[in-house]
Amino acid sequence: FYLTPPQVNSILKANEYSFKVPEFDGKNVSSVLGFDSNQLPANAPIEDRRSAATCLQTRGMLLGVFDGHAGCACAQAVSERLFYYIAVSLLPHETLLEIENAVESGRALLPILQWHKHPNDYFSKEASKLYFNSLRTYWQELIDLNSGETTDVREALINAFKRLDNDISLEAQVGDPNSFLNYLVLRVAFSGATACVAHVDGVDLHIANTGDSRAMLGVQEEDGSWSAVNLSYDHNAQNEHEVERVKMEHPKSEEKSLVKQDRLLGLLMPFRAFGDVKFKWSIELQKRVIESGPDQLNDNEYTKFIPPNYHTPPYLTAEPEVIHHKLRPQDKFLVLATDGLWETMHRQDVARIVGEYLTGVHHQQPIAVGGYKVTLGQMHGLLTERRARISSVFEDQNAATHLIRHAVGNNEFGTVDHERLSKMLSLPEELARMYRDDITIIVVQFNSHVIGAY
């Protein structure tokens, strides 16, 4: 099918969301100006999720992208639960006590998070009570453990990730008398999800990453050009340290079978993830849970098999790698995105495209034709197109949408080709996944004046 430009736009803009941080007395006091986010599905239904929230009882903002595999159940659960675990991990002892006393006496709770959600980013109503009880058990333990010290953000992020993964595993082992919920907790545990989360508070930016989504900082150099700084490392076979880490955790006799064809045990691309209990539980536990579980679980191919060479579980962890960065005035924006973006674009191009979009200034790169034989006519066409691009105001009102347009529609000359965009967006569901992955992007814009004042 050939899509018209308005049709292309309506597909690209369907999931876009923007949030501007409110000003106080006409002044911005936050180091974050706001963010743009968007998603473009390739899977049906989409397996990616995104979340953004302001921490109300502590300072700071949380933003994250989650990439599900073997279904969307785990990514969905993590996208609605993880920020509560992080927020609770950051709370001072008195606030935890206040919250516990309120629940105890049936009073209204202090709100912990203010969510910034697109209507498509739903919460699973059926599981809310179960999720709340698990979270409450966690904060009760934090109250009992009270050491009187304030929690370090890095530690809070690591504890929250590990604890949520632990709860996902526990809920599936315990099961639920309600058959719908029982099936839900099992689906969450048996599917998996990677997570890349940012916590921004003043000039302190922490990135907690589990898996292969990425965080990248867009920096404006003195000459106005743009450069990219990586703030996360992919946890997969391309990361030598990660391969070493996995090998260190298992006996020498397993060295050859741990990573095969660039996958964990020959099956899983990310080396860290939530859920995926197939790679964490003992064989006995897997069999017990599946046999006592609902019939639908047995129909699921993914739950039936035991991974090959499965001798010393767990092979997989949800523990994140945390990177701390002190923001500087030249740090203009942060991009969080699932691997669907990074498979199609280099971080340097991402930095330039977003930077030019946010400032509205095109830095003229010399036209690169990369070894192609180009006729004068084609060169004239490229130059005309370039001029039109500069004179036209950017057609997107959202930086994430602008980036997706480039990720899907870029031709070999680095410009958006409408015909290519039309073809890629009109692929039928069963074909789309062969050409690209789900893409989820959050672009966070920083406030240089506030950061400079720190």
Side-chain angles (χ1 to χ4, degrees):
F1 298 106
Y2 187 76
L3 303 173
T4 63
Q7 286 171 319
V8 163
N9 282 346
S10 73
I11 293 171
L12 287 180
K13 293 168 191 269
N15 298 310
E16 67 180 14
Y17 178 83
S18 290
F19 174 73
K20 294 277 169 278
V21 174
E23 294 183 353
F24 295 95
D25 303 330
K27 277 205 280 296
N28 277 88
V29 288
S30 169
S31 56
V32 175
L33 281 172
F35 69 86
D36 288 340
S37 80
N38 201 350
Q39 292 189 299
L40 182 69
N43 291 295
I46 186 169
E47 294 183 345
D48 280 5
R49 293 291 185 274
R50 58 182 165 179
S51 292
T54 301
C55 301
L56 295 173
Q57 303 305 325
T58 52
R59 302 195 331 222
M61 206 168 175
L62 285 164
L63 306 112
V65 294
F66 311 94
D67 187 350
H69 45 264
C72 58
C74 188
Q76 174 60 38
V78 174
S79 74
E80 56 185 277
R81 300 179 72 180
L82 181 58
F83 287 7
Y84 281 116
Y85 280 70
I86 295 170
V88 162
S89 308
L90 288 166
L91 290 176
H93 189 243
E94 310 76 77
T95 315
L96 287 172
L97 277 174
E98 253 177 82
I99 292 175
E100 176 54 29
N101 292 337
V103 177
E104 203 45 45
S105 58
R107 292 198 315 275
L109 277 189
L110 286 172
I112 301 177
L113 294 172
Q114 177 194 352
W115 290 91
H116 310 298
K117 280 182 126 35
H118 185 280
N120 297 353
D121 305 336
Y122 62 93
F123 276 108
S124 33
K125 297 270 187 294
E126 303 81 13
S128 58
K129 193 169 172 20
L130 169 77
Y131 289 173
F132 178 78
N133 290 338
S134 294
L135 181 68
R136 185 182 178 190
T137 306
Y138 178 41
W139 80 53
Q140 287 171 335
E141 282 175 32
L142 288 174
I143 290 172
D144 295 343
L145 284 172
N146 174 36
S147 55
E149 294 165 27
T150 51
T151 320
D152 166 58
V153 176
R154 183 173 186 279
E155 216 171 303
L157 288 164
I158 292 172
N159 293 344
F161 272 63
K162 286 163 74 172
R163 177 57 181 239
L164 173 58
D165 193 52
N166 205 36
D167 283 354
I168 286 172
S169 171
L170 209 60
E171 287 157 3
Q173 290 171 50
V174 173
D176 196 282
N178 170 331
S179 61
F180 175 82
L181 268 182
N182 195 31
Y183 183 45
L184 178 79
V185 295
L186 288 162
R187 269 184 39 220
V188 168
F190 277 94
S191 59
T194 68
C196 187
V197 170
H199 178 265
V200 196
D201 177 7
V203 289
D204 289 303
L205 169 62
H206 285 83
I207 301 290
N209 183 49
T210 288
D212 52 10
S213 292
R214 275 184 212 167
M216 181 215 92
L217 198 60
V219 181
Q220 190 165 31
E221 304 299 342
E222 284 184 0
D223 65 357
S225 66
W226 294 94
S227 64
V229 176
N230 264 357
L231 288 181
S232 67
Y233 299 101
D234 294 357
H235 300 132
N236 56 22
Q238 273 63 58
N239 180 338
E240 289 167 29
H241 296 292
E242 199 56 15
V243 175
E244 274 316 299
R245 177 188 67 79
V246 173
K247 286 183 177 167
M248 293 284 289
E249 290 172 3
H250 299 276
K252 198 115 183 79
S253 56
E254 292 187 57
E255 204 164 330
K256 292 212 166 21
S257 58
L258 280 171
V259 180
K260 282 189 151 172
Q261 288 156 336
D262 282 351
R263 291 169 181 257
L264 190 63
L265 297 181
L267 295 167
L268 199 62
M269 290 281 271
F271 284 16
R272 303 191 194 195
F274 282 92
D276 282 317
V277 292
K278 302 283 316 165
F279 296 85
K280 293 172 181 171
W281 288 356
S282 68
I283 293 175
E284 299 73 49
L285 178 58
Q286 292 192 35
K287 286 190 168 142
R288 181 174 69 73
V289 170
I290 287 169
E291 277 160 20
S292 61
D295 295 338
Q296 302 116 294
L297 198 65
N298 286 320
D299 303 339
N300 183 338
E301 282 306 305
Y302 187 66
T303 54
K304 267 196 216 134
F305 73 92
I306 299 288
N309 303 304
Y310 197 76
H311 309 296
T312 54
Y315 288 91
L316 189 65
T317 177
E319 180 167 336
E321 195 171 1
V322 179
I323 289 180
H324 172 239
H325 175 84
K326 275 245 185 286
L327 290 170
R328 311 157 301 174
Q330 64 266 41
D331 300 332
K332 301 296 182 188
F333 60 88
L334 171 75
V335 176
L336 298 171
T338 53
D339 61 348
L341 173 70
W342 310 110
E343 281 165 7
T344 60
M345 290 187 86
H346 189 274
R347 62 176 183 268
Q348 199 46 57
D349 294 327
V350 170
R352 180 179 55 79
I353 287 165
V354 176
E356 290 181 355
Y357 171 84
L358 292 175
T359 53
V361 177
H362 269 296
H363 267 269
Q364 289 303 4
Q365 306 282 351
I367 281 195
V369 289
Y372 292 93
K373 286 198 165 63
V374 179
T375 64
L376 272 176
Q378 286 170 315
M379 187 51 102
H380 176 71
L382 282 171
L383 288 167
T384 317
E385 189 184 335
R386 166 186 272 197
R387 198 166 66 213
R389 215 169 57 235
I390 297 164
S391 61
S392 77
V393 182
F394 289 109
E395 53 194 315
D396 296 311
Q397 304 301 306
N398 179 304
T401 308
H402 186 67
L403 202 44
I404 290 176
R405 189 182 296 276
H406 278 268
V408 179
N410 264 2
N411 59 17
E412 61 273 32
F413 303 117
T415 58
V416 176
D417 174 351
H418 177 75
E419 197 172 328
R420 181 181 161 79
L421 198 53
S422 165
K423 276 184 190 151
M424 291 295 277
L425 293 179
S426 59
L427 289 169
E429 276 172 6
E430 59 280 7
L431 275 182
R433 185 60 191 90
M434 292 164 68
Y435 288 90
R436 57 180 176 81
D437 197 353
D438 296 331
I439 299 175
T440 299
I441 300 171
I442 300 178
V443 178
V444 186
Q445 204 179 343
F446 296 123
N447 188 331
S448 307
H449 299 303
V450 171
I451 291 168
Y454 271 89

